[in-house]
Amino acid sequence: MPSRDTVFASIAALVVVGGAVGIGLVGSAQPSRVFGAETAPPWPVPAVGDRLDRAELAGMQNVWGEDLAMHVHTHLSITVDGAAVTIPGDIGHDADTKLAAPLHTHDTSGIVHVESPRRESFVLGQLFTEWDVHLDAVSIGSLGPDDGLELTTFVDGSRWSGDPAGIRLSDFEDVALVLAPRGESVTAPPSFAWPPDYR
């Protein structure tokens, strides 16, 4: 069985070979491919030693300490059959090792920080690759149609059609992923109340 480092190297090589395609997808707001585990929640933050690898797999580098050309915030929530799923802090981030990917979280509020030295588009799928959680048009992690669950996506309270991995992250945007039993009526969760220091 190959080692974890060998697996990461192989996947990274694949991403480098397809880099031009990946950049094109992000730039055109098409769904980016998510490299994530198909497991059930809770979905923990990756180990500190894996976080830079996960960021690079998502097409990002460590930008700790660099001057920022953009700094925006998006809120993400996930609900599975009526229960909220915790978005962990420090996805793509670790203060002790001075790691900060352009997309990262600091706490469990669901606030996603977009901090980059270049003005560019980032999509939700990149965060899920960093987090090591599978995401596509019908499932999150291992949860989806095989479990009798249907995925509905809301952006600022309106339904989003298509693969949520391709959602471009914008300032004060509220993205809600709702997995509910098939056929159940689904409405958008209440709008996120942004803390005053973010306004």
Side-chain angles (χ1 to χ4, degrees), residues 2-199:
S3 69
R4 179 179 61 86
D5 291 340
T6 301
V7 171
F8 268 128
S10 300
I11 295 174
L14 174 63
V15 171
V16 168
V17 169
V21 175
I23 292 170
L25 289 175
V26 171
S28 61
Q30 297 299 314
S32 62
R33 182 176 179 186
V34 175
F35 294 91
E38 296 185 22
T39 57
W43 296 300
V45 65
V48 171
D50 293 338
R51 290 178 202 173
L52 181 57
D53 291 323
R54 299 299 314 177
E56 291 177 344
L57 196 55
M60 295 178 286
Q61 303 296 320
N62 185 8
V63 297
W64 182 282
E66 295 189 35
D67 293 333
L68 301 180
M70 64 181 297
H71 187 184
V72 300
H73 303 93
T74 298
H75 182 259
L76 172 66
S77 66
I78 301 174
T79 306
V80 177
D81 198 10
V85 173
T86 299
I87 315 295
D90 284 332
I91 298 171
H93 182 270
D94 181 60
D96 292 338
T97 59
K98 292 183 168 54
L99 168 66
L103 292 187
H104 60 266
T105 63
H106 288 289
D107 51 37
T108 59
S109 65
I111 295 174
V112 179
H113 296 251
V114 184
E115 302 176 15
S116 174
R118 293 167 296 282
R119 291 198 169 275
E120 54 187 308
S121 295
F122 295 96
V123 294
L124 187 63
Q126 291 174 283
L127 180 74
F128 275 76
T129 290
E130 283 188 285
W131 191 7
D132 194 16
V133 177
H134 173 78
L135 175 68
D136 62 27
V138 297
S139 60
I140 307 174
S142 65
L143 302 180
D146 290 346
D147 306 289
L149 297 172
E150 186 172 10
L151 176 60
T152 305
T153 302
F154 297 92
V155 177
D156 291 334
S158 298
R159 287 178 183 260
W160 169 277
S161 60
D163 190 336
I167 296 173
R168 290 193 185 198
L169 304 183
S170 302
D171 211 14
F172 299 121
E173 189 173 64
D174 196 359
V175 178
L177 305 179
V178 180
L179 277 167
R182 189 180 295 110
E184 183 177 289
S185 179
V186 176
T187 57
S191 297
F192 178 66
W194 287 92
D197 54 332
Y198 280 87
R199 290 292 186 178

